[in-house]
Amino acid sequence: MTPVELSRTVLRAVRRAVDAGELSVTVPERAVVTVPGPGGCGDYATGIALQLARPAGLPPRDVAEIIRARLLTGRAGQADDTDQADQTDHADDTDHRIEDVVITGPGFLNIRLRDTASATLVEEIQERGKRYGHATGFSGDVWQLQAAHEVRAVVVADALGRIMRSQGAAVRVTCTTRPAPEWETGLGVRLDAYGKRVFPGPLVVNIRPAPALSDPVRLGRDAGRWALLHPASHDGPRIGDDYLVQRESNPLFRVRYAHARIRAVSRNAADLGFDAEPQALPETEARPKPQPRPRPGTKSQTEPEPGTDTATDAKNLLTHLADHPRVLAHAAEDRAPDRLARHLVTVADAVTPLLAAVLPCGEEKPSAAHRARLALAEAAGTVLAGGLSLLGIDAPEHL
C-alpha cells in the first residue's frame, strides 16, 4: 500500500464517519500521510484528526478514535440495530491491508500495515518496472514549458517535461532561442521547439531557475545534469569536480553505486542458483557483518545506525519505495525535479545496509528470506533506474 492509496483509505474512513453522523465536517480533499515522527510508531502516520478537530467541535483524540474505528472495522461505537446494518453496508470498505492503528500524542493516527503489504508493493514494482509511480492514462493537462536561454533553465525544463509526462500530462518543452549545440550533445537536452512562438491551447510555464555561474558541460552528461537538477530551483547550483569523485560525500555516486551494487547482487544470486521472490520478511533478523565500504576513512553517510537489524532496514526501505509515486506527483505538481533527485538519494541510502544480507554467507543455503530480500533490493534498483531515467541520467550496471 502506497501513501497515496493510504491517503484515500483515510479519506474514505472520514467520509463513512460523516455519513453515519459521527463527524460533522466537510471531508477534505487530501489526507497527508507521512513516515511517523518522534514518538510515533507503525509504518505511516497522519494528523488528519488534528485538522478536523476544530470544525468537528471535538477534541482531536476523540476524532482520532472515530477515524481509527472506521479504518479497522468500517464502523465506530457500540453496535445496535442501526449500527449493525451500517457495519454490514460498509464491510467491503474495510481495508484488510491495515493491521493496526495506534493513537499517539494529541491525536496522531499511526498505521501499521499487514506483512503481505510488503510483498504486494514489491510485486507492483516488478510488474510496472521503471514506470512504477507513473500515471496510467492521460490526465487531461496540456502544458508548454518555456525555458530561458540559459543552460540550467533548459536542463530543468527537459527533466520537468519528462516527470510531468510520467504523470499523464501532455507537455511541450521549448526555449526562447535555439539552445547551444553543446547543451544537446553534452547534456542530452531534447526540446520540442525554440523561439518566441507559443503553441495554441496549452498553459505556459516559464522556467527560470537560479542560473549556473559556470559551465556544467565539462562534467559530462550525468554529473552535469545532476549538478543542475539536485539543488532546489531557487538555489544556485555548485558546478565542481566533487560530482565526479567516487566517494560517499557525492550524492550522485551514492545513487549510481547503489544501483550498480544491486545489479551485481542479482548476478551473484543467479550464479548461486536462486531468484527473487516477493514475500513478507521476518519481523526481526540480525544483520550480518556489513560489507566494506568504498573509500573508507570517515564514517559512512549510509552506515547503519547501531541497534538496527535487517528487518528494520527492509521496513525503512519499503516506506521510501511506497512513497515514490507521491514524490513523482509532487515533483510534477510543484515543478521541482530536485524533489525526485533527493528522493533517489534517500532510497539509495536506505537500500545500501540491506545489501549485505541478500546473499547467503559461508555454507548457508539460500532461503525464502534471501529470496524476499533480493526481490526488495531489485525493486529499489528499479525505482533508482526509473528515477534517474526521468532526470536524463544513466543507471549503470557496473561502477
Side-chain angles (χ1 to χ4, degrees):
M1 175 182 278
T2 68
V4 173
E5 292 173 326
L6 186 54
S7 174
R8 294 172 184 151
T9 298
V10 171
L11 290 179
R12 284 197 298 270
V14 173
R15 188 172 295 109
R16 293 199 304 269
V18 170
D19 292 345
E22 298 163 358
L23 291 175
S24 180
V25 296
T26 300
V27 180
E29 294 183 359
R30 180 168 167 253
V32 177
V33 173
T34 62
V35 176
C41 59
D43 299 297
Y44 297 102
T46 178
I48 192 169
L50 284 73
Q51 175 185 343
L52 298 178
R54 176 170 292 184
L58 295 170
R61 288 189 70 92
D62 290 356
V63 176
E65 288 286 359
I66 293 171
I67 299 174
R68 175 183 181 275
R70 288 286 170 180
L71 285 170
L72 291 175
T73 65
R75 62 182 293 276
Q78 299 296 319
D80 57 23
D81 293 341
T82 304
D83 286 338
Q84 189 65 43
D86 177 70
Q87 182 180 11
T88 301
D89 290 342
H90 292 296
D92 291 339
D93 291 337
T94 304
D95 198 317
H96 298 286
R97 292 174 291 181
I98 295 177
E99 176 72 24
D100 194 15
V101 181
V102 176
I103 300 172
T104 59
F108 290 104
L109 291 159
N110 297 264
I111 302 168
R112 180 160 59 93
L113 303 179
R114 295 186 186 276
D115 288 342
T116 54
S118 62
T120 301
L121 175 62
V122 173
E123 287 171 349
E124 180 184 356
I125 296 173
Q126 283 184 335
E127 180 181 347
R128 302 211 61 196
K130 292 181 182 180
R131 295 185 63 81
Y132 168 63
H134 291 208
T136 56
F138 177 47
S139 67
D141 296 328
V142 181
W143 297 92
Q144 178 181 336
L145 304 181
Q146 180 86 348
H149 189 265
E150 186 273 327
V151 61
R152 190 187 187 197
V154 171
V155 170
V156 168
D158 178 35
L160 184 55
R162 300 170 191 237
I163 295 171
M164 293 173 68
R165 291 184 191 109
S166 79
Q167 300 306 295
V171 183
R172 290 181 183 270
V173 181
T174 65
C175 184
T176 51
T177 57
R178 182 168 188 170
E182 59 268 24
W183 298 353
E184 298 176 330
T185 58
L187 296 174
V189 169
R190 296 290 182 268
L191 302 181
D192 297 307
Y194 61 89
K196 295 291 186 180
R197 176 172 174 260
V198 176
F199 292 94
L203 297 173
V204 178
V205 177
N206 292 312
I207 306 298
R208 283 168 173 74
L213 300 181
S214 58
D215 185 12
V217 175
R218 65 181 181 84
L219 300 179
R221 171 172 171 160
D222 293 337
R225 289 182 72 98
W226 182 270
L228 298 173
L229 296 172
H230 183 249
S233 62
H234 57 271
D235 292 331
R238 178 177 52 82
I239 309 299
D241 293 340
D242 289 348
Y243 291 110
L244 299 176
V245 297
Q246 295 191 4
R247 64 170 62 116
E248 293 188 3
S249 59
N250 177 3
L252 174 60
F253 168 70
R254 300 213 301 278
V255 173
R256 300 177 81 226
Y257 175 71
H259 181 268
R261 273 196 69 189
I262 292 167
R263 300 303 304 141
V265 166
S266 295
R267 292 190 295 270
N268 292 338
D271 291 340
L272 293 174
F274 75 95
D275 298 320
E277 184 178 334
Q279 55 188 292
L281 288 163
E283 286 292 328
T284 58
E285 293 179 284
R287 182 196 289 118
K289 184 179 179 181
Q291 297 176 1
R293 304 291 184 189
R295 299 284 183 98
T298 58
K299 179 173 173 62
S300 166
Q301 295 186 30
T302 57
E303 191 72 30
E305 291 297 325
T308 59
D309 57 20
T310 300
T312 303
D313 296 336
K315 181 178 177 181
N316 180 47
L317 176 58
L318 281 164
T319 298
H320 297 305
L321 296 182
D323 204 31
H324 186 64
R326 184 191 67 84
V327 171
L328 287 181
H330 280 274
E333 181 181 350
D334 299 336
R335 319 286 184 254
D338 58 286
R339 288 195 174 191
L340 174 57
R342 291 196 298 273
H343 174 66
L344 296 181
V345 177
T346 300
V347 172
D349 289 348
V351 72
T352 300
L354 182 71
L355 295 178
V358 171
L359 300 176
C361 299
E363 299 300 320
E364 186 182 11
K365 299 296 184 182
S367 66
H370 290 112
R371 293 182 176 87
R373 289 194 288 264
L374 177 60
L376 178 56
E378 290 183 346
T382 298
V383 168
L384 292 175
L388 286 172
S389 176
L390 289 176
L391 297 178
I393 296 172
D394 178 54
E397 293 284 316
H398 306 271
L399 195 61

